[in-house]
Amino acid sequence: MTKIKNVCVYSSASDFLSDIYYEDAAKLGTLMGKNGFDLVYGGGRLGLMYANAKAVKDAGGKVVGVLPKKLYDMGLSSDVCDEVIVTDEMRSRKEKMDVLSDACIALAGGFGTLEEISEMIVQKQLAYNAKAIVFLNTNGFYDNLMKFFDDIIKENFAQERMSKCVYFANTPEEAIDYLLNYVPEHFDVYEKLKIERPV
Ligand code: AMP
């Protein structure tokens, strides 16, 4: 079993959500810190991003924020970060967050969160990595997405094995348990995609 240390968390930058989302973000952060995980995230000082990062920090975890220059210059970075990394662009930011982390979790979020976690799923699908990918399904927020993922597989837009590549956790505890027990599945992309190997 490969030990996971650095966890990338994608989450909403909104300050206008129901309390339950902030509570779960903070609970996850506390459990991350207590279980020895460090955080890599978008470095923001707003929304669930901040609630989660602050809780990680308060529970003794290290917090690394990665922001594109534009957001950093707008003063959107958080003071809870032990380290702030400024990238040229949004795309290089995602790459940096990926390189720095062993696993990723999406808390409830909007388009930014969805974009970030989707890229990780596609990378895993094509065997660029075998990292743990978790959605924290606070308040059933991702129920419809879960159904959509099932439809993608049912209609053969993705292989059956993809159902095991993404984990939907109902609680922060479940998310942490998944990371603690995660066994990466390495596979041969040529065999899985049923394409000929180049000679
Ligand atoms: P969204 O789900 O649309 O709120 O976008 C959240 C995701 O996009 C986060 O994981 C961040 O990486 C990035 N992001 C969006 N807004 C901000 C912000 N104000 N500060 C920092 N990162 C942000």
Side-chain angles (χ1 to χ4, degrees):
M1 198 186 310
T2 318
K3 203 165 178 300
I4 293 170
K5 177 69 178 166
N6 300 304
V7 180
C8 186
V9 176
Y10 309 117
S11 68
S12 171
S14 172
D15 276 338
F16 305 100
L17 309 171
S18 301
D19 289 349
I20 189 169
Y21 297 107
Y22 302 101
E23 286 161 14
D24 250 17
K27 201 187 282 180
L28 180 80
T30 303
L31 289 173
M32 284 172 63
K34 282 188 175 164
N35 283 278
F37 295 120
D38 290 333
L39 171 68
V40 176
Y41 85 118
R45 60 173 173 77
L46 302 170
L48 304 185
M49 300 178 79
Y50 179 77
N52 177 250
K54 170 110 177 44
V56 172
K57 176 90 174 164
D58 289 348
K62 182 182 172 195
V63 176
V64 177
V66 186
L67 284 101
K69 188 172 183 319
K70 178 175 170 175
L71 298 191
Y72 182 78
D73 288 346
M74 286 164 69
L76 289 173
S77 67
S78 165
D79 57 5
V80 300
C81 296
D82 294 292
E83 188 185 345
V84 175
I85 298 171
V86 180
T87 64
D88 288 341
E89 294 296 341
M90 291 283 279
R91 286 182 179 133
S92 43
R93 170 210 227 182
K94 274 187 293 173
E95 187 183 1
K96 192 74 187 169
M97 290 198 284
D98 178 11
V99 167
L100 291 176
S101 57
D102 315 309
C104 63
I105 302 180
L107 308 187
F111 299 116
T113 302
L114 197 57
E115 189 230 2
E116 291 167 339
I117 192 91
S118 296
E119 186 170 314
M120 298 306 295
I121 297 170
V122 177
Q123 288 201 53
K124 191 167 179 178
Q125 176 170 252
L126 295 174
Y128 280 89
N129 64 53
K131 294 182 190 181
I133 300 177
V134 179
F135 283 87
L136 180 52
N137 192 22
T138 302
N139 197 30
F141 182 75
Y142 283 123
D143 283 354
N144 289 335
L145 190 71
M146 222 189 306
K147 164 84 178 61
F148 180 54
F149 282 12
D150 285 346
D151 288 345
I152 287 176
I153 292 166
K154 201 172 77 199
E155 298 290 332
N156 290 324
F157 288 100
Q159 293 183 348
E160 176 64 34
R161 71 181 169 83
M162 287 307 292
S163 63
K164 284 193 234 103
C165 282
V166 178
Y167 180 71
F168 286 85
N170 287 316
T171 61
E173 288 84 356
E174 267 183 43
I176 295 293
D177 275 355
Y178 183 75
L179 296 189
L180 289 172
N181 296 301
Y182 183 69
V183 180
E185 191 205 352
H186 294 281
F187 65 92
D188 183 330
V189 73
Y190 292 103
E191 196 185 305
K192 289 283 184 189
L193 297 181
K194 296 179 178 49
I195 52 175
E196 271 182 45
R197 195 182 303 273
V199 279

